[in-house]
Amino acid sequence: MGSELMKIAEGFSIVAEGLRGLAKAEGGTKDKTVKVQKQVQPESVAEVQPESPATLEGIRALMAQKTQEGKSKEIKELLQKYGAVKLSAVKPEDYPALMQEAQVL
């Protein structure tokens, strides 16, 4: 049971990192978020993601989404592939490849 609780805790940690990244990217206010959403209205999310640069905040948000979809184990394995236990330990030059792999999870 202890290892199961650790897995759950790690999943929450990944979600928390993602939420912190979202809050930082959005400036912490709902008004700014609504304003940005009105300015950028893509026809589909799939069209925007490949064009967007792989930033730490973008990867955090994507990983938080994947964690909410129940893919915590896959996210953890992906981070380990890049020699990291958490996202902040991933090298910036690995961001594009990491983001691409995370999108297909």
Side-chain angles (χ1 to χ4, degrees), residues 1 7 9 11 14 23 25 28 30 34 37 42-43 45 47 53-54 57 64-65 76-77 80 83 89 91 93 98:
M1 183 169 175
K7 287 180 183 178
I14 292 170
K30 188 175 182 178
V34 172
Q37 288 175 350
E43 291 182 23
V45 176
E47 292 177 10
E57 290 80 16
Q65 175 189 348
K76 183 179 176 184
E77 290 171 354
Q80 288 175 348
K91 297 175 186 173
E93 59 265 19
L98 176 62

Side-chain angles (χ1 to χ4, degrees), residues 15-87:
V15 170
E17 279 189 72
L19 292 173
R20 277 188 218 101
L22 284 172
K24 191 181 288 185
E26 293 175 359
T29 63
K30 188 175 182 178
D31 292 341
K32 288 183 180 180
T33 302
V34 172
K35 191 173 185 179
V36 170
Q37 288 175 350
K38 288 180 182 176
Q39 291 174 352
V40 179
Q41 295 185 2
E43 291 182 23
S44 75
V45 176
E47 292 177 10
V48 174
Q49 287 180 349
E51 297 173 10
S52 63
T55 62
L56 183 61
E57 290 80 16
I59 296 169
R60 274 195 179 121
L62 178 61
M63 289 188 166
Q65 175 189 348
K66 295 296 182 178
T67 299
Q68 290 175 347
E69 293 172 4
K71 299 187 178 184
S72 298
K73 180 181 175 185
E74 291 88 344
I75 293 294
K76 183 179 176 184
E77 290 171 354
L78 188 57
L79 288 172
Q80 288 175 348
K81 178 180 176 181
Y82 288 92
V85 175
K86 56 185 182 177
L87 182 57

